[in-house]
C-alpha cells in the first residue's frame, strides 16, 4: 500500500543534498527545504546547496540537467507543500530538540499514508518519536545514508517499536532498486552497525599507532590496502573526514554507548590532535593541512607529513613496511601479523581488537554476521567484512593467539572454533548463525554479487590476472582480478580463450567483476618495461594481441556483454567499447585517458571512437575532429548519462543500473536476450578525413600550444592522434578498414613510446598516480 513517487528532503546540508541528488538520479521529483534565510532571497540556503551538487570534483548528479527534478524552498513558506510527498526524509542538524520540533510541524501537514524518516547517526528512534502520535510513529523509520550519498552503497534502515513492517518493506525496496543502496536492517542500537564497527576500527588504529610510535605513513601502509581497507588508511581518513568532525563523532559515540563497551578504551582524545584542531590543522578541508598536506596543491610530488614532535611538516616518506607490501601483493592479510617487528604488532593489535569487537556484537546488536560484513563493505569500502577477515586469518589461529596472550574471545568467535564463519555447503554459500547452525546466504531476487557467487564455483580457466567461469544459465563469465584490474598479456590471453570456449559451448559471455574498478587500463609497468628494454617488437606484438582479442570478441558468434562499475579507463574501456551491449553501473567512470601518459589508445579505442562519431555525424571530417579532441583531451564521463554525449554509451543498446548488485543479473539477461538470433555486427570501412583535416588539426595544436593551453608534448601526442583519425596520409574519402585503423594506432603508440617525454609521464603516473605535464 505504500509507494514512493514524490519525495521531500528537509535540510540542504551535506546529507540532505546528497539524498536529494540521489532521488533526482533515480528519476524522482524532490522538494528540498532548508531554513529561510534573512535576506531577500528566502531560499538562499537551499539554492547554495544545489550549486554544491554540481561540483565537478564530486558531482552528486548523474547529469547537471537532473537538478530540475529538485524544487527548493524553505520550512516556513513551503511547509504546506509537504502534503504532496509520499516520503519525507529529515536531514537537519543532529539535535533532538530541532528534529522533534520539525516532526510536530510536518506531521500537521503531511498526508495520511506518507512515510517520514530521519538520517540521524546517533539519536535512538525511541527518542526521536517520543511524544509523537501513534499514527506518526507507525510511519516513521531511520534511513541512515552514508556520505557521499551518491557513491556510498550502504543504507542502514532502523525500525522503531511501532513502525509498520510495510513501511520498512517499502523503504527497503525503493532504496535498493531505485536508489541503488545495499540495505542493512539494523536494530536501534548506538551507531547502528557501520559506525559502530568503523569508528571503533579507526580509533583503534589511531591509538595503536600513537602507542607504538608509528609514523603516519607506516600506519596507513598497514591499516590500508593490505588489510583490504581504503588506501587513505587511518591518518589519511582523518584528514579526509576532518579531524574536528572525527573527534565529534567519537565523542558522540562515547555519550551513547554503554559504559562497559570496549569503545571507551580507544575513544580518549590524543593531546597532539587537540593542538592540531586548535591550530586549524583539521585536514584536507581546512587549507592548513592535517596529518598530511601538499606543499603545492598542484604538485602531487610535494606531499608532506606533519612531524608530531616538532609540529613542522617534513617530506612524505614513501617506504612501505615489507610485510605490508607482501600482504598486499598476495592479497593475504595473514601475512601482516606473521612477523615479530613493530609493524606486525601494530597489525595484530588493530585487527584482533577490531575483529573481536565485531564478533562481540552478535547476537546482542545484530543476529546476523552478514549484516555486519555488509555494513563494513558497503559503508566503509572494506574489501572484506570482519567475519570474512577472520576466516582469512583462520578462526582457530586467531583463538589460539588470543588465548596465548591471555585475552578472552567473544562467545560468538568461540562458537566458530574448528569451523569458519562462512562455508560452501551443497553448492551454496552459507554463514554461521548466532545459534551455531549454518544457513544459506540468501539475497533478494535480482541481487547477485559475484564475489559471493565465485566461492561456490570452480574456474574453468585461471591465471594471475583473470579467470573464466561457467555461471550457469548457459553463460560464461570473465573476471579480471589483477591489482586495480590492470590488463596485461595474461588478461587478454584468458579473454581470448574464454571467447573461443563460449563461442562453442555457451549462449554468450559476460565480462564483470566485483572489485572497486572494472579496469584502470593496460598495466603501465609492463609498458614501461618494454620501453626500458627498447623491445619495440615486443610492445607491438602486445598491442596487436590486445587488438585482435577485442576484435575477435566483437566478432564472436555469441554475444558478449560487459558490466563495468567504478573506473573503466584506457585499455579497460577499450574492452568495453567492443562489447555488444554494456550494462553500466550508474557511477561508472569511462574514458580513454592514454594521452595523459603521453600515449594514444592502442587497443582499438581511437578506431571505435572514430566509428561511433562517424555513425553519429555521418561526415568523416566532423567525426575526425570529435575523436581527435575527445581522445586528445583524454575526456572522461563520470556517469553513463554523461557518457552519451561522448558516444561512450549507445542509446537504445546500452543500459545502466543504480544498484551494483543488480548488474550481473541484468548482464545475464542481456546475453539471453541477444542470443536468440545473434549475428555479430561487424564494421564496414569508413572514408578517411584526409590530409587537409590533418593540417587543420596541426594548426589548431600549434595555436593552442602558443596560447599556453597545451604543453609541448601534448602537441606531439595530438599529432599522432590526428594522424590516426584522418587516415594516416591517405587521400580524403579513401576507405579505411578496421585493420587499417588498428595499424595506425600501433604505429602512433610506438612512435610516442620511444620519446623520453612519454617515458617520464608513465614513470610519474606509476610513482604518484597523477599525470605529469611536460
Ligand atoms: P549539515 O550541517 O551539513 O546540514 C544540516 C542542514 O540542516 C543545514 O543546511 C541547516 O541549515 C539545516 N537545518 C537546520 N535546522 C533546520 C530546520 N529546523 N529545518 C530545516 N533545515 C534545518 O549536516 P549533515 O552533515 O548534512 O547532517 C544531517 C543529518 O545527517 C544529521 O542528523 C547527521 O547526524 C546525519 N548524518 C551525517 C553524516 C555526515 O557524514 N555528515 C552521515 C550520516 C548521517
Amino acid at each position: 500500500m505504500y509507494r514512493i513517487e514524490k519525495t521531500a528532503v528537509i535540510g540542504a546540508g551535506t546529507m540532505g543534498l546528497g539524498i536529494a541528488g540521489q532521488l533526482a538520479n533515480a528519476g524522482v521529483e524532490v522538494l528540498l527545504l532548508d531554513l529561510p534565510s534573512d535576506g531577500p532571497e528566502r531560499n538562499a540556503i537551499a539554492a547554495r546547496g544545489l550549486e554544491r551538487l554540481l561540483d565537478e570534483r564530486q558531482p552528486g548528479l548523474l547529469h547537471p540537467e537532473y537538478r530540475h527534478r529538485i524544487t527548493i524552498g524553505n520550512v516556513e513558506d513551503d511547509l504546506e507543500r509537504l502534503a504532496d510527498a509520499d516520503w519525507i526524509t529529515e536531514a537537519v542538524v543532529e539535535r533532538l530538540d530541532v528534529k522533534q520540533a520539525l516532526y510536530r510541524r510536518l506531521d500537521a501537514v503531511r498526508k495520511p499514508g506518507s512515510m517520514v524518516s530521519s538520517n540521524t547517526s546517533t539519536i535512538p528512534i525511541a527518542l526521536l518519536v517520543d511524544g509523537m502520535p501513534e499514527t506518526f510513529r507507525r510511519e516513521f523509520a531511520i534511513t541512515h545514508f552514508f556520505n557521499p550519498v551518491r557513491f556510498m552503497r550502504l543504507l542502514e534502515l532502523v525500525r522503531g517499536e511501532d513502525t509498520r513492517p510495510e513501511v520498512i518493506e517499502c523503504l527497503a525496496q525503493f532504496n535498493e532498486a531505485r536508489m541503488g543502496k545495499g540495505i542493512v536492517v539494523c536494530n536501534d542500537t548506538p551507531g547502528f552497525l557501520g559506525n559502530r564497527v568503523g569508528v571503533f576500527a579507526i580509533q583503534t588504529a589511531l591509538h595503536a599507532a600513537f602507542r607504538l610510535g608509528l609514523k603516519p605513513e607506516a600506519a596507513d601502509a598497514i591499516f590500508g590496502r593490505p588489510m583490504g581497507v581504503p588506501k587513505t588508511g587511518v591518518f589519511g581518513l582523518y584528514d579526509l573526514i576532518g579531524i574536528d568532525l572525527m573527534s565529534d563523532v567519537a565523542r558522540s559515540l562515547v555519550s551513547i554507548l554503554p559504559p562497559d563497551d570496549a569503545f571507551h578504551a580507544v575513544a580518549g582524545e590524543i593531546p597532539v590532535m587537540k593542538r592540531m584542531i586548535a591550530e586549524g590543522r583539521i585536514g584536507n578541508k581546512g587549507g592548513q593541512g592535517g596529518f598530511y598536506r601538499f606543499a603545492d596543491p598542484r604538485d602531487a610530488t610535494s606531499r608532506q607529513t606533519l612531524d608530531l614532535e616538532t609540529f613542522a611538516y617534513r617530506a612524505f616518506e614513501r617506504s612501505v613496511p615489507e610485510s605490508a607490501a607482501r600482504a598486499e601483493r598476495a592479497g593475504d592479510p595473514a601475512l601482516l601479523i606473521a612477523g615479530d617487528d613493530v609493524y606486525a604488532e601494530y597489525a595484530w593489535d588493530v585487527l584482533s581488537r577490531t575483529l573481536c569487537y565485531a564478533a562481540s556484537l552478535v547476537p546482542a546488536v545484530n543476529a546476523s554476521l552478514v549484516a555486519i560484513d555488509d555494513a563494513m563493505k558497503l559503508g566503509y569500502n572494506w574489501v572484506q567484512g570482519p567475519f570474512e577477515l577472520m576466516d582469512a586469518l583462520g578462526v582457530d589461529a586467531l583463538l589460539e593467539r588470543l588465548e596465548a596472550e591471555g585475552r578472552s574471545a567473544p562467545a560468538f568467535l568461540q562458537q566458530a572454533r574448528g569451523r569458519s564463519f562462512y562455508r560452501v555447503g551443497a553448492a551454496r554459500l552459507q554463514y554461521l548463525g548466532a545459534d551455531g547452525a549454518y544457513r544459506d546466504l540468501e539475497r533478494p531476487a535480482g541481487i547477485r554479487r559475484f564475489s559471493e557467487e565465485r566461492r561456490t564455483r570452480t574456474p574453468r580457466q585461471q591465471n594471475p590476472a583473470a579467470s573464466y567461469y561457467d555461471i550457469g544459465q548457459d553463460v560464461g563469465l570473465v573476471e579480471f582480478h589483477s591489482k586495480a584490474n590492470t590488463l596485461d598479456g595474461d588478461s587478454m590471453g584468458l579473454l581470448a580463450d574464454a571467447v573461443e570456449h563460449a563461442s562453442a559451448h555457451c549462449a554468450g559471455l559476460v565480462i564483470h567483476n566485483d572489485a572497486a574498478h572494472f579496469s584502470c587500463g593496460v598495466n603501465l609497468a609492463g609498458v614501461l618495461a618494454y620501453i626500458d628494454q627498447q623491445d619495440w617488437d615486443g610492445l607491438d606484438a602486445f598491442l596487436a594481441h590486445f587488438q585482435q582479442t577485442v576484435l575477435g570478441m566483437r566478432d564472436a558468434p555469441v554475444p558478449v556483454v560487459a558490466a563495468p562499475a567504478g573506473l573503466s579507463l584506457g585499455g579497460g574501456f577499450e574492452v568495453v567499447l567492443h562489447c555488444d551491449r554494456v550494462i553500466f553501473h550508474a557511477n561508472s567512470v569511462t574514458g580513454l585517458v592514454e594521452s595523459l601518459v603521453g600515449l594514444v589508445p592502442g587497443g582499438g579505442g581511437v578506431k571505435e571512437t572514430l566509428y561511433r562519431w562517424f555513425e553519429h555525424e555521418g561526415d568523416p571530417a566532423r567525426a575526425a575532429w570529435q575523436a581527435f579532441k575527445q581522445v586528445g583531451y583524454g575526456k572522461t564521463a563520470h556517469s553513463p548519462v554523461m557518457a552519451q554525449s561522448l558516444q561512450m554509451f549507445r542509446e537504445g543498446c546500452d543500459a545502466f543500473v543504480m544498484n551494483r548488485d543488480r548488474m550481473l543479473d541484468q548482464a545475464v539477461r542481456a546475453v539471453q536476450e541477444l542470443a536468440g538470433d545473434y549475428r555479430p555486427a561487424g564494421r564496414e570501412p569508413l572514408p578517411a578525413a584526409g590530409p587537409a583535416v590533418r593540417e587543420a588539426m596541426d594548426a589548431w595544436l600549434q595555436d593552442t600550444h602558443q596560447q599556453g593551453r597545451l604543453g609541448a608534448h601534448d602537441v606531439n601526442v595530438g599529432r599522432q592522434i590526428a594522424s590516426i583519425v584522418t587516415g594516416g596520409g591517405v587521400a580524403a574519402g579513401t576507405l579505411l578498414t578496421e585493420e587499417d585503423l588498428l595499424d595506425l594506432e600501433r604505429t602512433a603508440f610506438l612512435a610516442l613510446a620511444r620519446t623520453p617525454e612519454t617515458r617520464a609521464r608513465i614513470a610519474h603516473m606509476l610513482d604518484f598516480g597523477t599525470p605529469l605535464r611536460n
Side-chain angles (χ1 to χ4, degrees):
M1 96 186 216
Y2 290 95
R3 56 175 175 74
I4 297 174
E5 274 161 23
K6 290 192 172 176
T7 62
V9 176
I10 308 185
T14 307
M15 295 307 291
L17 279 172
I19 299 166
Q22 190 67 355
L23 284 163
N25 291 336
V28 178
E29 267 183 59
V30 200
L31 175 66
L32 175 64
L33 306 182
D34 203 288
L35 293 170
S37 69
D38 297 334
E41 179 44 78
R42 299 273 289 168
N43 299 334
I45 302 182
R48 270 200 307 273
L50 210 49
E51 290 307 313
R52 269 168 54 199
L53 265 186
L54 301 171
D55 183 350
E56 275 182 16
R57 281 163 306 172
Q58 195 170 71
L61 297 175
L62 298 182
H63 194 287
E65 282 299 305
Y66 287 6
R67 66 192 296 177
H68 300 301
R69 294 176 181 167
I70 305 176
T71 311
I72 55 168
N74 68 75
V75 287
E76 272 176 25
D77 306 340
D78 302 293
L79 205 70
E80 305 286 317
R81 296 167 73 183
L82 292 176
D84 277 346
D86 303 307
W87 174 29
I88 303 166
T89 313
E90 168 274 305
V92 305
V93 283
E94 188 74 336
R95 272 182 45 191
L96 181 61
D97 57 338
V98 176
K99 291 188 194 275
Q100 283 184 333
L102 183 67
Y103 298 161
R104 282 193 289 275
R105 292 180 61 209
L106 67 85
D107 195 36
V109 294
R110 75 180 185 107
K111 65 179 175 189
S114 62
M115 297 170 285
V116 182
S117 70
S118 171
N119 197 54
T120 182
S121 313
T122 53
I123 308 176
I125 198 164
L127 283 184
L128 288 175
V129 297
D130 190 29
M132 292 300 292
E134 195 188 340
T135 46
F136 183 87
R137 296 202 307 267
R138 284 156 64 88
E139 291 176 331
F140 184 88
I142 289 175
T143 45
H144 185 233
F145 289 92
F146 281 65
N147 182 33
V149 178
R150 177 180 161 195
F151 297 97
M152 296 305 292
R153 296 166 68 190
L154 180 60
L155 174 65
E156 292 181 322
L157 193 53
V158 185
R159 197 185 151 189
E161 211 168 283
D162 302 314
T163 316
R164 299 183 65 176
E166 295 87 343
V167 167
I168 295 295
E169 216 169 275
C170 174
L171 289 173
Q173 205 268 332
F174 176 85
N175 281 288
E176 184 269 291
R178 304 282 301 274
M179 299 283 273
K181 299 301 160 201
I183 311 295
V184 171
V185 178
C186 300
N187 296 319
D188 190 15
T189 54
F192 313 125
L193 289 178
N195 288 345
R196 181 82 175 261
V197 179
V199 178
F200 181 92
I202 297 167
Q203 288 292 119
T204 303
L206 183 81
H207 277 255
F210 277 99
R211 195 174 60 249
L212 295 171
L214 250 59
K215 289 181 178 159
E217 294 97 324
D220 286 355
I222 296 165
F223 184 83
R225 285 212 172 118
M227 250 182 226
V229 165
K231 69 172 180 196
T232 42
V234 51
F235 290 96
L237 186 63
Y238 254 88
D239 277 357
L240 186 73
I241 296 177
I243 292 164
D244 50 343
L245 191 66
M246 268 308 293
S247 299
D248 289 348
V249 170
R251 254 201 309 275
S252 77
L253 270 175
V254 163
S255 70
I256 52 175
L257 284 166
D260 61 346
D261 194 278
F263 183 73
H264 298 289
V266 291
E269 251 184 323
I270 290 175
V272 162
M273 292 171 66
K274 263 175 126 165
R275 178 169 168 196
M276 289 175 73
I277 295 171
E279 292 183 12
R281 298 182 205 274
I282 53 171
N284 304 354
K285 64 180 173 182
Q288 305 248 49
F291 290 109
Y292 303 111
R293 72 168 189 189
F294 286 98
D296 173 358
R298 288 157 307 175
D299 178 5
T301 65
S302 71
R303 193 166 190 205
Q304 295 180 320
T305 309
L306 185 66
D307 184 312
L308 299 171
E309 307 259 301
T310 62
F311 244 62
Y313 283 95
R314 57 161 175 81
F316 177 85
E317 286 174 16
R318 310 194 123 255
S319 65
V320 174
E322 181 46 38
S323 56
R326 242 181 307 128
E328 189 181 348
R329 265 198 310 275
D332 181 1
L335 296 177
L336 280 174
I337 58 171
D340 51 13
D341 57 11
V342 66
Y343 305 119
E345 190 182 344
Y346 176 68
W348 167 246
D349 191 88
V350 176
L351 272 174
S352 61
R353 284 175 202 278
T354 304
L355 300 179
C356 284
Y357 190 68
S360 75
L361 303 181
V362 182
V365 169
N366 203 297
S368 165
L369 66 86
V370 180
I372 297 174
D373 276 352
D374 272 357
M376 295 317 296
K377 288 188 286 186
L378 306 182
Y380 274 76
N381 286 336
W382 287 17
V383 175
Q384 300 191 85
F387 295 91
E388 290 169 325
L389 269 167
M390 284 188 264
D391 279 352
L393 300 178
V395 168
D396 288 358
L398 197 59
L399 281 167
E400 250 168 57
R401 190 155 167 187
L402 287 169
E403 280 155 14
E405 292 176 3
R407 289 163 63 185
S408 66
F412 187 51
L413 176 54
Q414 295 194 35
Q415 202 168 30
R417 191 185 300 273
R419 301 191 284 176
S420 53
F421 287 107
Y422 292 88
R423 72 166 192 195
V424 176
R428 304 289 300 267
L429 185 59
Q430 301 181 322
Y431 66 97
L432 190 67
D435 57 1
Y438 285 99
R439 36 179 67 78
D440 287 350
L441 199 168
E442 313 257 13
R443 299 278 182 198
I447 300 247
R448 288 177 73 171
R449 212 176 274 172
F450 188 65
S451 52
E452 287 169 2
E453 216 163 301
R454 184 208 295 123
R455 299 186 56 176
T456 65
R457 301 190 185 279
T458 313
R460 193 173 275 284
Q461 203 178 326
Q462 189 169 33
N463 65 36
S467 301
Y468 172 49
Y469 292 84
D470 176 348
I471 56 164
Q473 296 168 284
D474 216 10
V475 174
L477 182 142
V478 169
E479 180 196 33
F480 298 136
H481 47 62
S482 58
K483 188 177 169 190
N485 284 338
T486 54
L487 305 177
D488 59 13
D490 271 353
S491 337
M492 301 319 279
L494 187 128
L495 180 57
D497 289 350
V499 167
E500 194 182 320
H501 180 272
S503 298
H505 302 284
C506 299
L509 190 65
V510 167
I511 309 177
H512 172 70
N513 62 70
D514 232 1
H517 302 302
F518 175 78
S519 168
C520 294
V522 161
N523 180 354
L524 282 178
V527 174
L528 192 60
Y530 283 120
I531 292 176
D532 286 345
Q533 289 157 22
Q534 303 202 356
D535 181 4
W536 311 120
D537 289 344
L539 184 53
D540 190 48
F542 168 73
L543 294 175
H545 179 232
F546 193 116
Q547 294 178 337
Q548 293 312 314
T549 302
V550 291
L551 215 54
M553 176 184 85
R554 210 266 326 272
D555 292 339
V558 293
V560 181
V561 173
L567 302 178
S568 304
L569 298 178
F573 191 51
E574 290 177 306
V575 172
V576 171
L577 279 170
H578 287 83
C579 289
D580 294 289
R581 183 172 293 178
V582 186
I583 308 293
F584 290 96
H585 179 237
N587 295 336
S588 291
V589 175
T590 49
L592 298 169
V593 292
E594 285 83 349
S595 65
L596 303 182
V597 288
L599 292 168
V600 295
V606 186
K607 162 189 80 77
E608 204 52 33
T609 307
L610 183 65
Y611 261 102
R612 290 193 180 188
W613 275 111
F614 181 68
E615 281 154 10
H616 185 263
E617 300 278 330
D619 172 77
R622 280 208 303 274
W625 272 105
Q626 293 282 9
F628 167 70
K629 291 214 178 149
Q630 188 161 310
V631 175
Y633 282 123
K635 283 194 188 161
T636 54
H638 69 73
S639 78
V641 188
M642 297 299 284
Q644 272 182 35
S645 57
L646 298 173
Q647 312 304 323
M648 294 177 183
F649 178 103
R650 296 160 296 187
E651 240 186 305
C653 170
D654 299 332
F656 73 91
V657 290
M658 296 292 281
N659 193 334
R660 271 184 83 132
D661 290 338
R662 288 187 172 268
M663 299 175 68
L664 179 54
D665 183 63
Q666 296 284 324
V668 169
R669 283 167 197 268
V671 165
Q672 289 167 335
E673 197 183 302
L674 292 169
D677 51 358
Y678 181 74
R679 291 224 178 347
R683 287 254 192 235
E684 295 296 317
L686 53 71
V693 176
R694 181 171 170 174
E695 276 160 32
M697 287 173 179
D698 204 27
W700 180 89
L701 286 166
Q702 291 302 342
D703 273 3
T704 317
H705 175 50
Q706 268 152 25
Q707 291 159 19
R709 291 189 287 125
L710 279 185
H713 195 48
D714 295 329
V715 175
N716 300 331
V717 176
R719 282 207 184 107
Q720 292 294 342
I721 300 168
S723 160
I724 307 167
V725 297
T726 55
V730 297
T734 309
L735 287 182
L736 299 167
T737 63
E738 283 191 285
E739 294 289 350
D740 293 335
L741 288 163
L742 292 176
D743 290 346
L744 289 171
E745 279 186 6
R746 290 203 319 283
T747 305
F749 192 107
L750 281 157
L752 288 166
R754 287 170 183 266
T755 64
E757 292 86 355
T758 288
R759 193 204 172 278
R761 283 192 183 190
I762 295 175
H764 190 277
M765 181 61 82
L766 285 168
D767 282 344
F768 301 102
T770 54
L772 171 71
R773 295 259 163 240
N774 61 349

